Amino acid sequence: MDKPARLIYLSSSMHRTGSTNLRRLTDGTASYSDSKLWVTTLALALASRWEGTSSHAVDPGWVPTRMGGPSAPDDLTAGHQTQVWLATHHDVTPSTGGYWYHQQVQAPHPAAQDEKFQADLIHVLESHTGVPLDDRHAL
């Protein structure tokens, strides 16, 4: 698959409590928070590795869905607007590598921006899937 021009990964504020223990990725003990930390890390890793591809992670908020429950405080409609905006708007700052909540860039978990953790995650993903992630291929 060729690299796309834009990547938008769905994250969650719960990524902030995710584990950096990547053994959990392959041994079946990963939590929802872990998976959201790892997807945020992947988004930011690709932002710095794939020139010409804009890559962002988005927290849609805690919205009232079957998963979020009826008492979730965020607006269901507003939950998707940042993804649409990132996919269609041409003047996004930063142009790549952002972690977004309601069209505002936020600070992600520090591990998501750590180059060593990014490299470790990519190595584990490549080993687990058998799919290399380099400048010529997309996931």
Side-chain angles (χ1 to χ4, degrees), residues 22 33 36 39 52 68-69 83 90 94 98 108 110 114 121-122 133 136 138:
L22 295 173
S33 296
K36 292 306 180 178
V39 78
Q83 292 97 302
H90 296 290
D114 180 87
L121 174 64
I122 288 172
L133 181 64
R136 295 178 308 279

Side-chain angles (χ1 to χ4, degrees), residues 2 5 10 13 19 27 40 45 50 53 55 78 81 83 87 89 100 103 108-109 114 119 121 129-130 135:
D2 293 332
L10 189 59
S13 63
S19 173
D27 70 10
T40 302
W50 284 2
T53 296
S55 181
Q81 290 175 337
Q83 292 97 302
H89 197 67
W100 298 88
Q103 296 183 357
H109 186 297
D114 180 87
L121 174 64
T129 64
D135 287 341

Side-chain angles (χ1 to χ4, degrees), residues 51-67:
E51 188 174 331
T53 296
S54 173
S55 181
H56 296 279
V58 176
D59 169 10
W62 180 14
V63 296
T65 62
R66 282 190 286 175
M67 182 176 167

Side-chain angles (χ1 to χ4, degrees), residues 70-134:
S71 61
D74 278 318
D75 180 354
L76 182 61
T77 303
H80 75 277
Q81 290 175 337
T82 301
Q83 292 97 302
V84 172
W85 176 72
L86 287 169
T88 60
H89 197 67
H90 296 290
D91 294 321
V92 174
T93 303
S95 61
T96 191
Y99 174 77
W100 298 88
Y101 172 75
H102 293 216
Q103 296 183 357
Q104 298 293 314
V105 71
Q106 305 284 308
H109 186 297
Q113 296 176 308
D114 180 87
E115 290 180 14
K116 181 177 180 335
F117 183 63
Q118 290 175 356
D120 290 347
L121 174 64
I122 288 172
H123 175 75
V124 169
L125 291 171
E126 288 175 335
S127 296
H128 188 65
T129 64
V131 177
L133 181 64
D134 59 30

Side-chain angles (χ1 to χ4, degrees), residues 32-43:
Y32 178 82
S33 296
D34 298 342
S35 71
K36 292 306 180 178
L37 172 58
W38 302 335
V39 78
T40 302
T41 301
L42 180 62

